[in-house]
Coordinates of all heavy atoms in Angstrom, one line a residue:
F264 N -7.0 59.4 -2.4 CA -6.0 58.3 -2.4 C -4.9 58.8 -1.2 O -4.2 57.8 -0.7 CB -5.2 58.3 -3.7 CG -4.4 57.1 -3.9 CD1 -4.8 55.8 -3.9 CD2 -3.0 57.3 -4.2 CE1 -4.1 54.7 -4.1 CE2 -2.2 56.2 -4.4 CZ -2.7 54.9 -4.4
G265 N -4.8 60.0 -0.9 CA -3.9 60.4 0.2 C -4.1 59.7 1.4 O -3.2 59.4 2.2
A266 N -5.4 59.4 1.8 CA -5.7 58.7 3.1 C -5.2 57.3 3.1 O -4.7 56.9 4.1 CB -7.3 58.7 3.3
D267 N -5.3 56.6 1.9 CA -4.7 55.3 1.8 C -3.2 55.3 1.9 O -2.6 54.5 2.5 CB -5.1 54.7 0.4 CG -6.6 54.3 0.4 OD1 -7.2 54.3 1.4 OD2 -7.1 53.9 -0.6
L268 N -2.6 56.3 1.2 CA -1.1 56.4 1.3 C -0.7 56.7 2.8 O 0.3 56.1 3.2 CB -0.7 57.6 0.4 CG -0.8 57.4 -1.1 CD1 -0.5 58.7 -1.8 CD2 0.1 56.2 -1.6
D269 N -1.4 57.5 3.5 CA -1.0 57.8 4.8 C -1.1 56.6 5.7 O -0.2 56.2 6.6 CB -1.9 58.9 5.4 CG -1.6 60.3 4.8 OD1 -0.4 60.4 4.4 OD2 -2.4 61.1 4.9
A270 N -2.2 55.7 5.5 CA -2.3 54.5 6.3 C -1.3 53.5 6.0 O -0.7 52.9 6.8 CB -3.7 53.9 5.9
V271 N -0.9 53.4 4.7 CA 0.2 52.5 4.3 C 1.5 53.0 4.8 O 2.3 52.2 5.3 CB 0.2 52.4 2.8 CG1 1.5 51.6 2.3 CG2 -1.0 51.6 2.3
A272 N 1.8 54.3 4.7 CA 3.1 54.8 5.2 C 3.3 54.6 6.7 O 4.4 54.4 7.2 CB 3.2 56.3 4.9
A273 N 2.1 54.6 7.5 CA 2.3 54.4 8.9 C 2.2 52.9 9.3 O 2.3 52.6 10.5 CB 1.1 55.2 9.6
G274 N 2.0 52.1 8.3 CA 1.8 50.7 8.6 C 3.0 49.9 9.1 O 4.1 50.3 8.6
D275 N 2.8 48.9 9.8 CA 3.9 48.1 10.2 C 3.8 46.7 9.4 O 3.0 45.8 9.8 CB 3.8 47.8 11.8 CG 4.9 46.9 12.3 OD1 5.8 46.6 11.6 OD2 4.8 46.4 13.5
F276 N 4.6 46.7 8.4 CA 4.6 45.5 7.6 C 5.9 45.4 6.6 O 6.4 46.5 6.4 CB 3.4 45.3 6.7 CG 3.2 46.4 5.6 CD1 3.5 46.1 4.3 CD2 2.8 47.7 6.0 CE1 3.4 47.1 3.4 CE2 2.6 48.7 5.0 CZ 2.9 48.4 3.7
R277 N 6.2 44.3 6.2 CA 7.3 44.2 5.2 C 6.8 44.5 3.9 O 5.9 44.0 3.4 CB 7.9 42.8 5.3 CG 9.3 42.7 4.5 CD 9.7 41.2 4.5 NE 10.3 40.9 5.8 CZ 11.5 41.1 6.2 NH1 12.3 41.8 5.4 NH2 11.8 40.7 7.4
W278 N 7.6 45.3 3.1 CA 7.3 45.7 1.7 C 8.6 45.7 0.9 O 9.5 46.4 1.2 CB 6.7 47.0 1.7 CG 6.3 47.6 0.3 CD1 6.4 47.0 -0.8 CD2 5.5 48.8 0.1 NE1 5.9 47.8 -1.8 CE2 5.3 48.9 -1.2 CE3 5.1 49.8 1.0 CZ2 4.6 50.0 -1.8 CZ3 4.4 50.8 0.4 CH2 4.1 50.9 -1.0
L279 N 8.6 44.7 -0.1 CA 9.7 44.7 -1.1 C 9.2 45.3 -2.4 O 8.3 44.9 -3.0 CB 10.1 43.3 -1.3 CG 11.2 43.1 -2.3 CD1 12.5 43.8 -2.1 CD2 11.4 41.6 -2.6
D280 N 9.9 46.4 -2.8 CA 9.6 47.1 -4.0 C 10.8 46.9 -5.0 O 11.8 47.3 -4.7 CB 9.3 48.6 -3.7 CG 9.0 49.4 -5.0 OD1 8.2 48.9 -5.8 OD2 9.6 50.5 -5.2
I281 N 10.4 46.2 -6.2 CA 11.5 46.0 -7.1 C 11.1 46.7 -8.4 O 10.0 46.5 -9.0 CB 11.6 44.5 -7.4 CG1 11.8 43.6 -6.2 CG2 12.7 44.1 -8.4 CD1 11.7 42.1 -6.3
A282 N 12.0 47.5 -8.9 CA 11.8 48.4 -10.1 C 13.1 48.6 -10.8 O 14.1 48.9 -10.0 CB 11.0 49.7 -9.7

Side-chain angles (χ1 to χ4, degrees):
F264 193 60
D267 285 351
L268 291 173
D269 287 337
V271 167
D275 181 8
F276 67 100
R277 184 185 293 276
W278 182 353
L279 173 61
D280 179 48
I281 306 176

